[in-house]
Amino acid sequence: MARPRKPLLSRDRIVEAAGALVDAEGLEAVSTRRLAAALGVSGPSLYNHFRTKDEILEAVADAVSARVDLSMFDGTRAWRDALHDWAHSYRNALADHPNIVPVLARGPGRRPAGLRVADAVFGAMTRAGWPPAQATRIGALMRYFILGSAVASFAGGFVDDEAAYDPCDYPHLGQAHLLAERRREVDEGAFETGLAALLDGLALQYAALPAAAV
């Protein structure tokens, strides 16, 4: 009988395997040797699709960006509502793949999905009447906030050990040892509090725009 043929190597298969490595072990885990072993191919065959490790990581980052919902920027939603829902969609995508955030933080560069995100946000803000320069700043501000929220957990940064927070040294951290077990509640609440504060501040600026600009 003929031996089963191996699935053809493709960019999508490489990106999927690299993404799994990044999720499990971090950016440094990605190497030609590790990917080739995971895919059951020889190392040099990867170079038919990607020239460097950085190109692979860029593609993994773009695959995450492609999961972000942009439908709220279709022109039917108020700019504030659209930003709110987009921020949650973006954070949810990053929450599943936090190890790729440092690559996304470099900016979209030439990544197609990343550029579509930037284009959608900027387009929605300018259509709503924000001046182009301010629309650019809003896109940057939102990206800083969302990416920062995905880098690490605030609540997870405290240990589940009451003795670690001696009230003689830290008089206001008597309940800090409880934060870790409430990680999701604390982190999601912090994100929503910060997002509301950002949007409230932007709403004040929007209301102060010259009538001709809105």
Side-chain angles (χ1 to χ4, degrees):
M1 294 179 62
R3 297 175 64 183
R5 296 174 59 187
K6 292 181 180 179
L8 292 175
L9 190 62
S10 66
R11 287 179 63 91
D12 287 345
R13 285 192 67 217
I14 295 170
V15 170
E16 182 179 0
L21 274 176
V22 171
D23 288 344
E25 301 180 40
L27 296 174
E28 296 305 316
V30 178
S31 68
T32 301
R33 179 182 61 81
R34 291 288 302 277
L35 283 176
L39 292 164
V41 299
S42 63
S45 63
L46 299 177
Y47 295 115
N48 293 324
H49 301 276
F50 294 97
R51 293 175 296 176
T52 65
K53 169 184 170 177
D54 280 346
E55 281 193 0
I56 295 173
L57 293 177
E58 288 284 318
V60 172
D62 211 39
V64 173
S65 293
R67 299 186 177 110
V68 179
D69 183 13
L70 300 176
S71 64
M72 65 286 295
F73 295 125
D74 63 1
T76 64
R77 307 284 301 279
W79 66 266
R80 176 177 175 142
D81 293 339
L83 278 184
H84 177 276
D85 292 351
W86 167 71
H88 276 281
S89 177
Y90 200 172
R91 181 173 183 265
N92 289 340
L94 298 181
D96 293 334
H97 309 281
N99 290 338
I100 199 64
V101 171
V103 179
L104 286 162
R106 300 172 191 167
R110 298 175 182 272
R111 298 192 302 267
L115 289 169
R116 282 193 289 273
V117 171
D119 182 72
V121 175
F122 181 81
M125 295 305 100
T126 53
R127 283 197 306 272
W130 286 100
Q134 187 67 349
T136 299
R137 297 186 191 108
I138 291 171
L141 168 67
M142 297 299 294
R143 192 168 68 86
Y144 296 153
F145 175 67
I146 297 165
L147 291 177
S149 75
V151 170
S153 163
F154 173 80
F158 294 85
V159 298
D160 184 15
D161 179 6
E162 186 174 5
Y165 308 107
D166 189 323
C168 292
D169 297 321
Y170 315 107
H172 305 295
L173 296 181
Q175 302 297 307
H177 65 287
L178 301 175
L179 290 173
E181 68 182 38
R182 300 174 182 173
R183 176 173 176 166
R184 181 171 180 175
E185 175 188 351
V186 172
D187 290 348
E188 290 186 354
F191 180 79
E192 187 58 44
T193 298
L195 181 58
L198 284 178
L199 296 178
D200 285 348
L202 289 174
L204 290 174
Q205 293 184 33
Y206 187 75
L209 290 176
V214 178

